[in-house]
Amino acid sequence: MSAVTEASPKALAPRPRGGVVQSVRDSLVVAKRNLIRMLRIPEMIVFGLIQPIMFVVLFTYVFGGSINVPGAPAGSAQAYREFLMAGIFAQTVTFATAGAGAGIADDMHKGLIDRFRSLPMARGAVLTGRTLADLVQTALTLVVLAAVALIIGWRTHENMGSVLAGFALLLFLGYAFSWIGALIGLIVRTPEAATSGGLIWLFPLTFVSNAFVPVNGMPAFLQHIAEWNPFSATVQAARELFGNTIPGREASVTGAWPMEHPIWASLIWSVLIIVVFRTLAVRRYRSATA
């Protein structure tokens, strides 16, 4: 008489393959899947372009003659354009956070993550692939936005290598923030909640900064918050790399280290955000799919 044993579903599930190379391959496969999905839904890209273009036009023509940039002639629209654009670029890459969170929440809601579980793939590849696809979409958005900025009169005053380094820092910050969006998408239950949760904290982060108005006009306590804001560090770094700073003007109002060394501060902040939130997101993903 033979005994029949029934294996548990967990035992029958394919084990994910290990190794860094395999993890990279799996991540690229997931990224390709998300990019193809974006191409099949072009309105996602179009609507993602409308908001930043609106911000550029509105801030330039509505507020451009009213906001004075310290060290520049009073009411100089050109000075404000060059001051503004790094902030608009940074806002654009960070607002992609909401899209990342909504996409992951949608995959969870539709059961797509359960399908990925049945495949022998690295656990973190699903999240990494999604954030890489969002990074590509954000880069395309920046290209279009930069073209619009040039049309309305924005100019850079450094060599091409420095300008490209500025955009690289902006994309690095956007990639870091996409991991915050991934964590939010795994925590909430619906894509709508992920969109709201991904935006609500971004508004104070981006507006209590040096992105749209000079910090010296803020109350003293907000000046310190704004100049230690990771968003502000990347904005200031981009301005320096684009050559959009005012010669002879102090970079910091409060003497904050991130404003005096913005490039290093931007890199440090982005790396810290990736390390912390990628760890939390992957841990949450594993517990959600265990």
Side-chain angles (χ1 to χ4, degrees), residues 93-94 166 168-180 229-231 233-235 237 262-278:
V93 300
T94 53
L169 277 182
L170 290 164
L171 288 172
F172 193 37
L173 179 72
Y175 180 71
F177 273 53
S178 68
W179 283 105
I180 302 178
N229 185 342
F231 185 82
T234 301
V235 171
I263 296 175
W264 282 109
S266 176
L267 288 170
I268 292 170
W269 275 121
S270 295
V271 169
L272 284 175
I273 291 170
I274 291 172
V275 170
V276 172
F277 285 94
R278 187 184 189 281

PDB file of all heavy atoms in Angstrom, residues 93-94 166 168-180 229-231 233-235 237 262-278:
ATOM      1  N   VAL A  93      10.359  65.284 -12.575  1.00  0.00           N
ATOM      2  CA  VAL A  93      10.892  63.942 -12.314  1.00  0.00           C
ATOM      3  C   VAL A  93      10.363  63.376 -11.000  1.00  0.00           C
ATOM      4  O   VAL A  93      10.180  62.159 -10.875  1.00  0.00           O
ATOM      5  CB  VAL A  93      12.442  63.934 -12.313  1.00  0.00           C
ATOM      6  CG1 VAL A  93      12.982  64.386 -13.652  1.00  0.00           C
ATOM      7  CG2 VAL A  93      13.022  64.770 -11.192  1.00  0.00           C
ATOM      8  N   THR A  94      10.086  64.249 -10.023  1.00  0.00           N
ATOM      9  CA  THR A  94       9.587  63.728  -8.746  1.00  0.00           C
ATOM     10  C   THR A  94       8.091  63.422  -8.806  1.00  0.00           C
ATOM     11  O   THR A  94       7.626  62.504  -8.134  1.00  0.00           O
ATOM     12  CB  THR A  94       9.864  64.716  -7.603  1.00  0.00           C
ATOM     13  OG1 THR A  94       9.354  66.013  -7.941  1.00  0.00           O
ATOM     14  CG2 THR A  94      11.347  64.820  -7.330  1.00  0.00           C
ATOM     15  N   GLY A 166      23.761  67.749 -15.309  1.00  0.00           N
ATOM     16  CA  GLY A 166      22.626  68.308 -14.589  1.00  0.00           C
ATOM     17  C   GLY A 166      21.366  67.480 -14.794  1.00  0.00           C
ATOM     18  O   GLY A 166      20.635  67.179 -13.837  1.00  0.00           O
ATOM     19  N   ALA A 168      21.313  64.360 -15.641  1.00  0.00           N
ATOM     20  CA  ALA A 168      21.549  63.058 -15.016  1.00  0.00           C
ATOM     21  C   ALA A 168      21.224  63.101 -13.525  1.00  0.00           C
ATOM     22  O   ALA A 168      20.619  62.165 -12.980  1.00  0.00           O
ATOM     23  CB  ALA A 168      22.999  62.626 -15.233  1.00  0.00           C
ATOM     24  N   LEU A 169      21.614  64.191 -12.856  1.00  0.00           N
ATOM     25  CA  LEU A 169      21.277  64.336 -11.436  1.00  0.00           C
ATOM     26  C   LEU A 169      19.770  64.398 -11.233  1.00  0.00           C
ATOM     27  O   LEU A 169      19.225  63.825 -10.280  1.00  0.00           O
ATOM     28  CB  LEU A 169      21.929  65.597 -10.863  1.00  0.00           C
ATOM     29  CG  LEU A 169      23.386  65.512 -10.423  1.00  0.00           C
ATOM     30  CD1 LEU A 169      23.835  66.847  -9.851  1.00  0.00           C
ATOM     31  CD2 LEU A 169      23.594  64.409  -9.395  1.00  0.00           C
ATOM     32  N   LEU A 170      19.077  65.098 -12.115  1.00  0.00           N
ATOM     33  CA  LEU A 170      17.625  65.188 -12.016  1.00  0.00           C
ATOM     34  C   LEU A 170      16.974  63.815 -12.188  1.00  0.00           C
ATOM     35  O   LEU A 170      16.076  63.440 -11.429  1.00  0.00           O
ATOM     36  CB  LEU A 170      17.094  66.151 -13.085  1.00  0.00           C
ATOM     37  CG  LEU A 170      17.409  67.635 -12.873  1.00  0.00           C
ATOM     38  CD1 LEU A 170      17.180  68.419 -14.165  1.00  0.00           C
ATOM     39  CD2 LEU A 170      16.556  68.213 -11.751  1.00  0.00           C
ATOM     40  N   LEU A 171      17.443  63.040 -13.168  1.00  0.00           N
ATOM     41  CA  LEU A 171      16.887  61.710 -13.379  1.00  0.00           C
ATOM     42  C   LEU A 171      17.215  60.774 -12.222  1.00  0.00           C
ATOM     43  O   LEU A 171      16.398  59.912 -11.858  1.00  0.00           O
ATOM     44  CB  LEU A 171      17.417  61.127 -14.692  1.00  0.00           C
ATOM     45  CG  LEU A 171      16.863  61.763 -15.966  1.00  0.00           C
ATOM     46  CD1 LEU A 171      17.605  61.223 -17.193  1.00  0.00           C
ATOM     47  CD2 LEU A 171      15.364  61.503 -16.096  1.00  0.00           C
ATOM     48  N   PHE A 172      18.386  60.955 -11.631  1.00  0.00           N
ATOM     49  CA  PHE A 172      18.769  60.127 -10.482  1.00  0.00           C
ATOM     50  C   PHE A 172      17.833  60.395  -9.307  1.00  0.00           C
ATOM     51  O   PHE A 172      17.396  59.475  -8.611  1.00  0.00           O
ATOM     52  CB  PHE A 172      20.219  60.411 -10.105  1.00  0.00           C
ATOM     53  CG  PHE A 172      20.811  59.418  -9.141  1.00  0.00           C
ATOM     54  CD1 PHE A 172      20.498  58.065  -9.211  1.00  0.00           C
ATOM     55  CD2 PHE A 172      21.700  59.828  -8.158  1.00  0.00           C
ATOM     56  CE1 PHE A 172      21.046  57.147  -8.328  1.00  0.00           C
ATOM     57  CE2 PHE A 172      22.257  58.926  -7.274  1.00  0.00           C
ATOM     58  CZ  PHE A 172      21.925  57.581  -7.357  1.00  0.00           C
ATOM     59  N   LEU A 173      17.502  61.675  -9.092  1.00  0.00           N
ATOM     60  CA  LEU A 173      16.542  62.022  -8.044  1.00  0.00           C
ATOM     61  C   LEU A 173      15.168  61.425  -8.364  1.00  0.00           C
ATOM     62  O   LEU A 173      14.501  60.881  -7.478  1.00  0.00           O
ATOM     63  CB  LEU A 173      16.425  63.534  -7.901  1.00  0.00           C
ATOM     64  CG  LEU A 173      15.418  64.015  -6.842  1.00  0.00           C
ATOM     65  CD1 LEU A 173      15.962  63.754  -5.439  1.00  0.00           C
ATOM     66  CD2 LEU A 173      15.108  65.497  -7.010  1.00  0.00           C
ATOM     67  N   GLY A 174      14.751  61.516  -9.634  1.00  0.00           N
ATOM     68  CA  GLY A 174      13.467  60.941 -10.020  1.00  0.00           C
ATOM     69  C   GLY A 174      13.428  59.437  -9.801  1.00  0.00           C
ATOM     70  O   GLY A 174      12.413  58.887  -9.345  1.00  0.00           O
ATOM     71  N   TYR A 175      14.539  58.756 -10.109  1.00  0.00           N
ATOM     72  CA  TYR A 175      14.601  57.306  -9.889  1.00  0.00           C
ATOM     73  C   TYR A 175      14.516  56.991  -8.401  1.00  0.00           C
ATOM     74  O   TYR A 175      13.820  56.050  -7.991  1.00  0.00           O
ATOM     75  CB  TYR A 175      15.888  56.739 -10.476  1.00  0.00           C
ATOM     76  CG  TYR A 175      16.023  55.247 -10.289  1.00  0.00           C
ATOM     77  CD1 TYR A 175      15.207  54.374 -11.009  1.00  0.00           C
ATOM     78  CD2 TYR A 175      16.940  54.719  -9.399  1.00  0.00           C
ATOM     79  CE1 TYR A 175      15.311  53.004 -10.837  1.00  0.00           C
ATOM     80  CE2 TYR A 175      17.053  53.345  -9.224  1.00  0.00           C
ATOM     81  CZ  TYR A 175      16.238  52.486  -9.943  1.00  0.00           C
ATOM     82  OH  TYR A 175      16.333  51.130  -9.761  1.00  0.00           O
ATOM     83  N   ALA A 176      15.196  57.799  -7.589  1.00  0.00           N
ATOM     84  CA  ALA A 176      15.137  57.589  -6.138  1.00  0.00           C
ATOM     85  C   ALA A 176      13.708  57.747  -5.621  1.00  0.00           C
ATOM     86  O   ALA A 176      13.210  56.920  -4.845  1.00  0.00           O
ATOM     87  CB  ALA A 176      16.076  58.579  -5.438  1.00  0.00           C
ATOM     88  N   PHE A 177      13.025  58.787  -6.074  1.00  0.00           N
ATOM     89  CA  PHE A 177      11.671  59.029  -5.609  1.00  0.00           C
ATOM     90  C   PHE A 177      10.691  57.970  -6.118  1.00  0.00           C
ATOM     91  O   PHE A 177       9.649  57.736  -5.500  1.00  0.00           O
ATOM     92  CB  PHE A 177      11.209  60.427  -6.037  1.00  0.00           C
ATOM     93  CG  PHE A 177      11.579  61.505  -5.060  1.00  0.00           C
ATOM     94  CD1 PHE A 177      12.888  61.659  -4.628  1.00  0.00           C
ATOM     95  CD2 PHE A 177      10.636  62.377  -4.566  1.00  0.00           C
ATOM     96  CE1 PHE A 177      13.247  62.644  -3.733  1.00  0.00           C
ATOM     97  CE2 PHE A 177      10.975  63.372  -3.665  1.00  0.00           C
ATOM     98  CZ  PHE A 177      12.282  63.506  -3.250  1.00  0.00           C
ATOM     99  N   SER A 178      11.008  57.338  -7.252  1.00  0.00           N
ATOM    100  CA  SER A 178      10.110  56.299  -7.760  1.00  0.00           C
ATOM    101  C   SER A 178      10.034  55.117  -6.799  1.00  0.00           C
ATOM    102  O   SER A 178       9.021  54.404  -6.767  1.00  0.00           O
ATOM    103  CB  SER A 178      10.563  55.825  -9.144  1.00  0.00           C
ATOM    104  OG  SER A 178      11.792  55.114  -9.079  1.00  0.00           O
ATOM    105  N   TRP A 179      11.084  54.920  -5.992  1.00  0.00           N
ATOM    106  CA  TRP A 179      11.037  53.854  -4.985  1.00  0.00           C
ATOM    107  C   TRP A 179      10.104  54.211  -3.840  1.00  0.00           C
ATOM    108  O   TRP A 179       9.502  53.329  -3.223  1.00  0.00           O
ATOM    109  CB  TRP A 179      12.441  53.538  -4.471  1.00  0.00           C
ATOM    110  CG  TRP A 179      13.216  52.707  -5.445  1.00  0.00           C
ATOM    111  CD1 TRP A 179      14.217  53.108  -6.269  1.00  0.00           C
ATOM    112  CD2 TRP A 179      13.019  51.316  -5.718  1.00  0.00           C
ATOM    113  NE1 TRP A 179      14.659  52.065  -7.037  1.00  0.00           N
ATOM    114  CE2 TRP A 179      13.945  50.946  -6.711  1.00  0.00           C
ATOM    115  CE3 TRP A 179      12.148  50.346  -5.219  1.00  0.00           C
ATOM    116  CZ2 TRP A 179      14.013  49.653  -7.215  1.00  0.00           C
ATOM    117  CZ3 TRP A 179      12.214  49.055  -5.715  1.00  0.00           C
ATOM    118  CH2 TRP A 179      13.139  48.722  -6.701  1.00  0.00           C
ATOM    119  N   ILE A 180       9.968  55.507  -3.557  1.00  0.00           N
ATOM    120  CA  ILE A 180       8.960  55.921  -2.583  1.00  0.00           C
ATOM    121  C   ILE A 180       7.575  55.615  -3.145  1.00  0.00           C
ATOM    122  O   ILE A 180       6.694  55.113  -2.440  1.00  0.00           O
ATOM    123  CB  ILE A 180       9.093  57.424  -2.262  1.00  0.00           C
ATOM    124  CG1 ILE A 180      10.497  57.732  -1.726  1.00  0.00           C
ATOM    125  CG2 ILE A 180       8.028  57.851  -1.259  1.00  0.00           C
ATOM    126  CD1 ILE A 180      10.731  59.202  -1.435  1.00  0.00           C
ATOM    127  N   ASN A 229      16.246  70.566   2.323  1.00  0.00           N
ATOM    128  CA  ASN A 229      15.346  69.732   1.548  1.00  0.00           C
ATOM    129  C   ASN A 229      16.145  69.036   0.433  1.00  0.00           C
ATOM    130  O   ASN A 229      16.847  69.702  -0.330  1.00  0.00           O
ATOM    131  CB  ASN A 229      14.258  70.634   0.943  1.00  0.00           C
ATOM    132  CG  ASN A 229      13.186  69.870   0.201  1.00  0.00           C
ATOM    133  OD1 ASN A 229      13.356  68.721  -0.176  1.00  0.00           O
ATOM    134  ND2 ASN A 229      12.060  70.526  -0.027  1.00  0.00           N
ATOM    135  N   PRO A 230      16.052  67.701   0.305  1.00  0.00           N
ATOM    136  CA  PRO A 230      16.787  67.014  -0.775  1.00  0.00           C
ATOM    137  C   PRO A 230      16.394  67.506  -2.155  1.00  0.00           C
ATOM    138  O   PRO A 230      17.205  67.508  -3.083  1.00  0.00           O
ATOM    139  CB  PRO A 230      16.423  65.537  -0.573  1.00  0.00           C
ATOM    140  CG  PRO A 230      15.224  65.530   0.298  1.00  0.00           C
ATOM    141  CD  PRO A 230      15.309  66.743   1.149  1.00  0.00           C
ATOM    142  N   PHE A 231      15.154  67.921  -2.305  1.00  0.00           N
ATOM    143  CA  PHE A 231      14.684  68.473  -3.567  1.00  0.00           C
ATOM    144  C   PHE A 231      15.459  69.745  -3.907  1.00  0.00           C
ATOM    145  O   PHE A 231      15.884  69.957  -5.041  1.00  0.00           O
ATOM    146  CB  PHE A 231      13.183  68.757  -3.452  1.00  0.00           C
ATOM    147  CG  PHE A 231      12.532  69.228  -4.715  1.00  0.00           C
ATOM    148  CD1 PHE A 231      12.131  68.330  -5.685  1.00  0.00           C
ATOM    149  CD2 PHE A 231      12.306  70.576  -4.934  1.00  0.00           C
ATOM    150  CE1 PHE A 231      11.515  68.756  -6.846  1.00  0.00           C
ATOM    151  CE2 PHE A 231      11.696  71.015  -6.090  1.00  0.00           C
ATOM    152  CZ  PHE A 231      11.301  70.105  -7.047  1.00  0.00           C
ATOM    153  N   ALA A 233      18.463  70.596  -2.971  1.00  0.00           N
ATOM    154  CA  ALA A 233      19.854  70.309  -3.310  1.00  0.00           C
ATOM    155  C   ALA A 233      20.001  69.974  -4.789  1.00  0.00           C
ATOM    156  O   ALA A 233      20.923  70.456  -5.461  1.00  0.00           O
ATOM    157  CB  ALA A 233      20.371  69.152  -2.450  1.00  0.00           C
ATOM    158  N   THR A 234      19.086  69.169  -5.321  1.00  0.00           N
ATOM    159  CA  THR A 234      19.155  68.806  -6.729  1.00  0.00           C
ATOM    160  C   THR A 234      18.842  69.997  -7.625  1.00  0.00           C
ATOM    161  O   THR A 234      19.467  70.176  -8.679  1.00  0.00           O
ATOM    162  CB  THR A 234      18.194  67.643  -7.029  1.00  0.00           C
ATOM    163  OG1 THR A 234      18.559  66.526  -6.222  1.00  0.00           O
ATOM    164  CG2 THR A 234      18.263  67.242  -8.491  1.00  0.00           C
ATOM    165  N   VAL A 235      17.886  70.827  -7.213  1.00  0.00           N
ATOM    166  CA  VAL A 235      17.568  72.022  -7.988  1.00  0.00           C
ATOM    167  C   VAL A 235      18.781  72.942  -8.065  1.00  0.00           C
ATOM    168  O   VAL A 235      19.148  73.436  -9.145  1.00  0.00           O
ATOM    169  CB  VAL A 235      16.368  72.773  -7.365  1.00  0.00           C
ATOM    170  CG1 VAL A 235      16.174  74.135  -8.030  1.00  0.00           C
ATOM    171  CG2 VAL A 235      15.093  71.943  -7.494  1.00  0.00           C
ATOM    172  N   ALA A 237      21.933  72.134  -7.620  1.00  0.00           N
ATOM    173  CA  ALA A 237      22.984  71.473  -8.389  1.00  0.00           C
ATOM    174  C   ALA A 237      22.735  71.622  -9.891  1.00  0.00           C
ATOM    175  O   ALA A 237      23.654  71.897 -10.669  1.00  0.00           O
ATOM    176  CB  ALA A 237      23.052  69.992  -8.012  1.00  0.00           C
ATOM    177  N   PRO A 262      25.978  71.528  -3.482  1.00  0.00           N
ATOM    178  CA  PRO A 262      24.724  70.911  -3.943  1.00  0.00           C
ATOM    179  C   PRO A 262      24.901  69.636  -4.755  1.00  0.00           C
ATOM    180  O   PRO A 262      24.045  68.748  -4.685  1.00  0.00           O
ATOM    181  CB  PRO A 262      24.073  72.017  -4.775  1.00  0.00           C
ATOM    182  CG  PRO A 262      25.207  72.881  -5.219  1.00  0.00           C
ATOM    183  CD  PRO A 262      26.192  72.860  -4.096  1.00  0.00           C
ATOM    184  N   ILE A 263      25.963  69.535  -5.531  1.00  0.00           N
ATOM    185  CA  ILE A 263      26.130  68.332  -6.358  1.00  0.00           C
ATOM    186  C   ILE A 263      26.350  67.108  -5.483  1.00  0.00           C
ATOM    187  O   ILE A 263      25.703  66.069  -5.646  1.00  0.00           O
ATOM    188  CB  ILE A 263      27.292  68.514  -7.355  1.00  0.00           C
ATOM    189  CG1 ILE A 263      26.962  69.653  -8.337  1.00  0.00           C
ATOM    190  CG2 ILE A 263      27.564  67.218  -8.112  1.00  0.00           C
ATOM    191  CD1 ILE A 263      28.085  70.009  -9.283  1.00  0.00           C
ATOM    192  N   TRP A 264      27.254  67.246  -4.516  1.00  0.00           N
ATOM    193  CA  TRP A 264      27.490  66.141  -3.587  1.00  0.00           C
ATOM    194  C   TRP A 264      26.255  65.857  -2.750  1.00  0.00           C
ATOM    195  O   TRP A 264      25.898  64.697  -2.510  1.00  0.00           O
ATOM    196  CB  TRP A 264      28.688  66.444  -2.682  1.00  0.00           C
ATOM    197  CG  TRP A 264      30.002  66.241  -3.348  1.00  0.00           C
ATOM    198  CD1 TRP A 264      30.899  67.195  -3.746  1.00  0.00           C
ATOM    199  CD2 TRP A 264      30.587  64.981  -3.714  1.00  0.00           C
ATOM    200  NE1 TRP A 264      31.992  66.619  -4.339  1.00  0.00           N
ATOM    201  CE2 TRP A 264      31.834  65.263  -4.329  1.00  0.00           C
ATOM    202  CE3 TRP A 264      30.186  63.655  -3.593  1.00  0.00           C
ATOM    203  CZ2 TRP A 264      32.669  64.248  -4.806  1.00  0.00           C
ATOM    204  CZ3 TRP A 264      31.022  62.647  -4.071  1.00  0.00           C
ATOM    205  CH2 TRP A 264      32.245  62.958  -4.669  1.00  0.00           C
ATOM    206  N   ALA A 265      25.598  66.921  -2.305  1.00  0.00           N
ATOM    207  CA  ALA A 265      24.392  66.740  -1.485  1.00  0.00           C
ATOM    208  C   ALA A 265      23.302  66.022  -2.273  1.00  0.00           C
ATOM    209  O   ALA A 265      22.618  65.138  -1.743  1.00  0.00           O
ATOM    210  CB  ALA A 265      23.885  68.102  -1.004  1.00  0.00           C
ATOM    211  N   SER A 266      23.144  66.375  -3.542  1.00  0.00           N
ATOM    212  CA  SER A 266      22.138  65.722  -4.375  1.00  0.00           C
ATOM    213  C   SER A 266      22.431  64.231  -4.528  1.00  0.00           C
ATOM    214  O   SER A 266      21.525  63.385  -4.402  1.00  0.00           O
ATOM    215  CB  SER A 266      22.093  66.389  -5.749  1.00  0.00           C
ATOM    216  OG  SER A 266      21.200  65.716  -6.604  1.00  0.00           O
ATOM    217  N   LEU A 267      23.685  63.905  -4.782  1.00  0.00           N
ATOM    218  CA  LEU A 267      24.062  62.494  -4.917  1.00  0.00           C
ATOM    219  C   LEU A 267      23.830  61.726  -3.624  1.00  0.00           C
ATOM    220  O   LEU A 267      23.284  60.612  -3.628  1.00  0.00           O
ATOM    221  CB  LEU A 267      25.530  62.387  -5.331  1.00  0.00           C
ATOM    222  CG  LEU A 267      25.861  62.801  -6.773  1.00  0.00           C
ATOM    223  CD1 LEU A 267      27.368  62.879  -6.961  1.00  0.00           C
ATOM    224  CD2 LEU A 267      25.253  61.818  -7.764  1.00  0.00           C
ATOM    225  N   ILE A 268      24.226  62.316  -2.502  1.00  0.00           N
ATOM    226  CA  ILE A 268      24.075  61.645  -1.208  1.00  0.00           C
ATOM    227  C   ILE A 268      22.606  61.427  -0.876  1.00  0.00           C
ATOM    228  O   ILE A 268      22.197  60.330  -0.479  1.00  0.00           O
ATOM    229  CB  ILE A 268      24.770  62.456  -0.103  1.00  0.00           C
ATOM    230  CG1 ILE A 268      26.291  62.427  -0.308  1.00  0.00           C
ATOM    231  CG2 ILE A 268      24.419  61.910   1.283  1.00  0.00           C
ATOM    232  CD1 ILE A 268      27.056  63.394   0.585  1.00  0.00           C
ATOM    233  N   TRP A 269      21.788  62.470  -1.056  1.00  0.00           N
ATOM    234  CA  TRP A 269      20.355  62.342  -0.769  1.00  0.00           C
ATOM    235  C   TRP A 269      19.720  61.254  -1.639  1.00  0.00           C
ATOM    236  O   TRP A 269      18.941  60.425  -1.154  1.00  0.00           O
ATOM    237  CB  TRP A 269      19.643  63.674  -1.027  1.00  0.00           C
ATOM    238  CG  TRP A 269      19.661  64.657   0.104  1.00  0.00           C
ATOM    239  CD1 TRP A 269      20.166  65.924   0.083  1.00  0.00           C
ATOM    240  CD2 TRP A 269      19.130  64.476   1.430  1.00  0.00           C
ATOM    241  NE1 TRP A 269      19.996  66.545   1.297  1.00  0.00           N
ATOM    242  CE2 TRP A 269      19.349  65.673   2.142  1.00  0.00           C
ATOM    243  CE3 TRP A 269      18.489  63.424   2.071  1.00  0.00           C
ATOM    244  CZ2 TRP A 269      18.959  65.840   3.471  1.00  0.00           C
ATOM    245  CZ3 TRP A 269      18.090  63.584   3.392  1.00  0.00           C
ATOM    246  CH2 TRP A 269      18.324  64.780   4.071  1.00  0.00           C
ATOM    247  N   SER A 270      20.042  61.239  -2.929  1.00  0.00           N
ATOM    248  CA  SER A 270      19.429  60.265  -3.837  1.00  0.00           C
ATOM    249  C   SER A 270      19.833  58.839  -3.474  1.00  0.00           C
ATOM    250  O   SER A 270      18.987  57.932  -3.483  1.00  0.00           O
ATOM    251  CB  SER A 270      19.816  60.578  -5.286  1.00  0.00           C
ATOM    252  OG  SER A 270      19.280  61.817  -5.699  1.00  0.00           O
ATOM    253  N   VAL A 271      21.106  58.637  -3.166  1.00  0.00           N
ATOM    254  CA  VAL A 271      21.572  57.295  -2.783  1.00  0.00           C
ATOM    255  C   VAL A 271      20.874  56.845  -1.500  1.00  0.00           C
ATOM    256  O   VAL A 271      20.416  55.691  -1.397  1.00  0.00           O
ATOM    257  CB  VAL A 271      23.099  57.285  -2.613  1.00  0.00           C
ATOM    258  CG1 VAL A 271      23.551  55.990  -1.948  1.00  0.00           C
ATOM    259  CG2 VAL A 271      23.790  57.445  -3.960  1.00  0.00           C
ATOM    260  N   LEU A 272      20.773  57.731  -0.514  1.00  0.00           N
ATOM    261  CA  LEU A 272      20.121  57.374   0.744  1.00  0.00           C
ATOM    262  C   LEU A 272      18.656  57.003   0.524  1.00  0.00           C
ATOM    263  O   LEU A 272      18.155  56.027   1.096  1.00  0.00           O
ATOM    264  CB  LEU A 272      20.218  58.542   1.737  1.00  0.00           C
ATOM    265  CG  LEU A 272      21.573  58.761   2.413  1.00  0.00           C
ATOM    266  CD1 LEU A 272      21.543  60.019   3.275  1.00  0.00           C
ATOM    267  CD2 LEU A 272      21.957  57.551   3.269  1.00  0.00           C
ATOM    268  N   ILE A 273      17.966  57.777  -0.302  1.00  0.00           N
ATOM    269  CA  ILE A 273      16.550  57.496  -0.571  1.00  0.00           C
ATOM    270  C   ILE A 273      16.398  56.140  -1.251  1.00  0.00           C
ATOM    271  O   ILE A 273      15.509  55.346  -0.907  1.00  0.00           O
ATOM    272  CB  ILE A 273      15.944  58.613  -1.433  1.00  0.00           C
ATOM    273  CG1 ILE A 273      15.855  59.913  -0.621  1.00  0.00           C
ATOM    274  CG2 ILE A 273      14.550  58.224  -1.927  1.00  0.00           C
ATOM    275  CD1 ILE A 273      15.500  61.134  -1.457  1.00  0.00           C
ATOM    276  N   ILE A 274      17.274  55.839  -2.217  1.00  0.00           N
ATOM    277  CA  ILE A 274      17.194  54.548  -2.914  1.00  0.00           C
ATOM    278  C   ILE A 274      17.444  53.398  -1.943  1.00  0.00           C
ATOM    279  O   ILE A 274      16.699  52.410  -1.912  1.00  0.00           O
ATOM    280  CB  ILE A 274      18.200  54.492  -4.075  1.00  0.00           C
ATOM    281  CG1 ILE A 274      17.775  55.444  -5.193  1.00  0.00           C
ATOM    282  CG2 ILE A 274      18.306  53.070  -4.628  1.00  0.00           C
ATOM    283  CD1 ILE A 274      18.805  55.587  -6.297  1.00  0.00           C
ATOM    284  N   VAL A 275      18.500  53.513  -1.138  1.00  0.00           N
ATOM    285  CA  VAL A 275      18.846  52.434  -0.208  1.00  0.00           C
ATOM    286  C   VAL A 275      17.710  52.171   0.773  1.00  0.00           C
ATOM    287  O   VAL A 275      17.297  51.028   0.988  1.00  0.00           O
ATOM    288  CB  VAL A 275      20.149  52.776   0.549  1.00  0.00           C
ATOM    289  CG1 VAL A 275      20.379  51.788   1.686  1.00  0.00           C
ATOM    290  CG2 VAL A 275      21.337  52.764  -0.405  1.00  0.00           C
ATOM    291  N   VAL A 276      17.180  53.231   1.360  1.00  0.00           N
ATOM    292  CA  VAL A 276      16.135  53.076   2.385  1.00  0.00           C
ATOM    293  C   VAL A 276      14.834  52.566   1.775  1.00  0.00           C
ATOM    294  O   VAL A 276      14.269  51.556   2.224  1.00  0.00           O
ATOM    295  CB  VAL A 276      15.903  54.410   3.126  1.00  0.00           C
ATOM    296  CG1 VAL A 276      14.682  54.301   4.046  1.00  0.00           C
ATOM    297  CG2 VAL A 276      17.132  54.795   3.932  1.00  0.00           C
ATOM    298  N   PHE A 277      14.353  53.228   0.730  1.00  0.00           N
ATOM    299  CA  PHE A 277      13.018  52.900   0.227  1.00  0.00           C
ATOM    300  C   PHE A 277      13.013  51.671  -0.671  1.00  0.00           C
ATOM    301  O   PHE A 277      11.984  50.995  -0.768  1.00  0.00           O
ATOM    302  CB  PHE A 277      12.416  54.120  -0.466  1.00  0.00           C
ATOM    303  CG  PHE A 277      11.940  55.159   0.510  1.00  0.00           C
ATOM    304  CD1 PHE A 277      12.766  56.206   0.875  1.00  0.00           C
ATOM    305  CD2 PHE A 277      10.693  55.075   1.093  1.00  0.00           C
ATOM    306  CE1 PHE A 277      12.346  57.160   1.796  1.00  0.00           C
ATOM    307  CE2 PHE A 277      10.262  56.019   2.011  1.00  0.00           C
ATOM    308  CZ  PHE A 277      11.091  57.067   2.363  1.00  0.00           C
ATOM    309  N   ARG A 278      14.130  51.367  -1.331  1.00  0.00           N
ATOM    310  CA  ARG A 278      14.171  50.110  -2.070  1.00  0.00           C
ATOM    311  C   ARG A 278      14.127  48.936  -1.107  1.00  0.00           C
ATOM    312  O   ARG A 278      13.430  47.942  -1.349  1.00  0.00           O
ATOM    313  CB  ARG A 278      15.416  50.025  -2.945  1.00  0.00           C
ATOM    314  CG  ARG A 278      15.396  48.799  -3.855  1.00  0.00           C
ATOM    315  CD  ARG A 278      16.665  48.627  -4.663  1.00  0.00           C
ATOM    316  NE  ARG A 278      16.510  47.575  -5.651  1.00  0.00           N
ATOM    317  CZ  ARG A 278      16.594  46.270  -5.407  1.00  0.00           C
ATOM    318  NH1 ARG A 278      16.830  45.854  -4.165  1.00  0.00           N
ATOM    319  NH2 ARG A 278      16.432  45.386  -6.377  1.00  0.00           N
TER     320      ARG A 278
END
